Amino acid sequence: MCGIVGYTGPSQAAPILLEGLAKLEYRGYDSAGLAVRDGSALAEVVKATGKLAHLADKTDQGRALPGTCGIGHTRWATHGDPSMVNAHPHVSGNCSGSGSGTVESDVVGVHNGIIENFAELKDKLLRHGYQFYSDTDTEVVVKLVDYYYNKYRIGPVDAINRMMVRVRGSYALALMFKDYPGEIYAARKDSPLIIGVADDAAYLASDVPAILKHTRSVYYIGNQQAARVCPGQVTFYDLNGDEIQLPQTEITWDAEAAEKGGYEHFMLKEIHEQPAAVRDTLKSLLKDGALSLADTGLTDETLQGLGQIEIVACGSAWHVGMAAQYVIEDLAGVPVRVELASEYRYRNAPVPKNTLMVVISQSGETADSLAALRVARERGLETLAVVNVIGSTIAREADHVLYTVAGPEIAVATTKAYSAQLIALDALAVRLAAVRGAISEEEVQRLTDELAAIPDKISRILEDKDRIQWFSSKIANAHDIFFIGRGLDYAISLEGSLKMKEISYIHSEAYAAGELKHGTISLIENNTLVVGVLTQPKLFEKTVSNMAECKARGAYLMGLTTHGNYAVEDSVDFTVYVPKTDEHFVPSLAVIPLQLLGYYTSVNRGLDVDKPRNLAKSVTVE
Ligand code: AGP
């Protein structure tokens, strides 16, 4: 959600900023803008609604904007509609129009996050003579910094610190001050922001891909910390204005990992990267051939003493939790509750002692998941984060971290990060069961071997993707699709349904198959597509019966099951098989055809697969 970039150095800034913004497009946006300075007191501000290409056209790919210091932004609207006037950057000076053109303003800034008390702050600033041209909370925060800067005649860092004490909410901010040419000031709380220094230049960005071409060494600014970014140099400050040292983190993945690498879309590339993501994640949890959680810092004593596990997450990560619930309870006998982070944070559910809270998040920045983690820590729970992005806020704030090794995921619809999370939770379940003596050593070895075989089985499914492509062309005009299953098959249905709706815009629902006749079956009409997930031996016949009930009301049926269950072809219109594995681990295989189904349906409908409308990759607002 929203992307921020900044550059100061010897080169022309605007082309570098546009290139960086292009790498952040996956975050989701509806308008974009740049502010560039050439050393004078003036800043050139250019904004455009819609695609980044409009901004690039307006500035001749950035070449028309002179200046070697600048900031850029892609905006995902929160306060105020997606329009020129609300697009960033915003300026502190009173001006008419949209705050763009050549402006002489003490402060110019871009922001990612939400300022919760912006209305109250706006009133205060109005009383002090400030005028506002936009509906954004960002204009308020830029003007608030300006207010402190001018009222107390203090430097940028002190003005920013006063602002940080006064505002509530989340922010990553990049600001330029008229009196400090060639410098960018940054501050953050709960929204991502990184800084990289290379030779005689320095870069800011919301995420690594935007600056990876220039440097692999990055700094993660902490909450309520500020930075002064100069060519070739960065200085960090705490809330008192005292200088602090921050460690540098080396990014280990290649720039190519964040490129399409010959695939038509990031999503298709990431679907194909799943064997590697699963293999690498599993490898990171194997020590001498045995599953181990030692690197997370979770001790065997903690695992043995657990009375309950609470899994908290959003979207697909929550679906991973739903699947893990069945596996952990079945293998290890530990009760599991799975909560939506957005609900958990406002509930006051009593929590039994010896509860481990597991937060699952690809980005490690999802606002609701982060807030839930903080609530759990306040309640004194031990916390484990299952996170893909190294150094992200959730990873830094949890007691223990289990990193999935999926590499950068760019497509908004998650695929490889989901699969990496799933295998990580399966490994956790097996290790938990082993440590608690819930299963024999032979069973632990058998399950470990089954997990190790998953990547090759995913590859085999991918080799047969043409069938799904053909089927998706038949269903691309569907109005409604229902995904049904029981137990783990219900968890897979949830993910299959989300994959379909988020990128194809076809209405779809996932239902526990037994629930259909309690209301949903009234929605079944002639030719409504019902996808039945039928991988669990004990539940197979039950779900087939529920599908037959849909068929009797005109539904068109697709069955998804494991090789060997060929009798299903008598009951459904189209069947997809995945290789056999232990029943606990089938979601890792069954989800692949459903990802492909969503992908090809989106392609067949001519939609923007990687950047679906209204969605953002990392949801950093509540
Ligand atoms: C799934 O395709 C979505 N992009 C979304 O549901 C996502 O899983 C959710 O927003 C959670 O994100 P996180 O894993 O980064 O916390």
Side-chain angles (χ1 to χ4, degrees), residues 313-319 360-367 369 394 409 411-415 417 421 495 498-499 502 615-619:
C314 301
S316 294
W318 180 75
H319 299 160
I360 308 174
S361 174
Q362 186 283 131
S363 61
E365 302 290 349
T366 301
S369 304
I394 290 175
E409 191 177 64
V412 165
T414 181
T415 52
Q421 290 163 351
E495 181 61 6
L498 180 58
K499 286 290 86 85
E502 68 180 329
L615 293 179
K617 179 68 180 163
S618 166
V619 184

Side-chain angles (χ1 to χ4, degrees), residues 55-74:
L55 184 66
D57 284 350
K58 237 176 159 173
T59 59
D60 186 20
Q61 313 304 315
R63 288 186 288 265
L65 285 181
T68 57
C69 177
I71 52 181
H73 189 264
T74 45

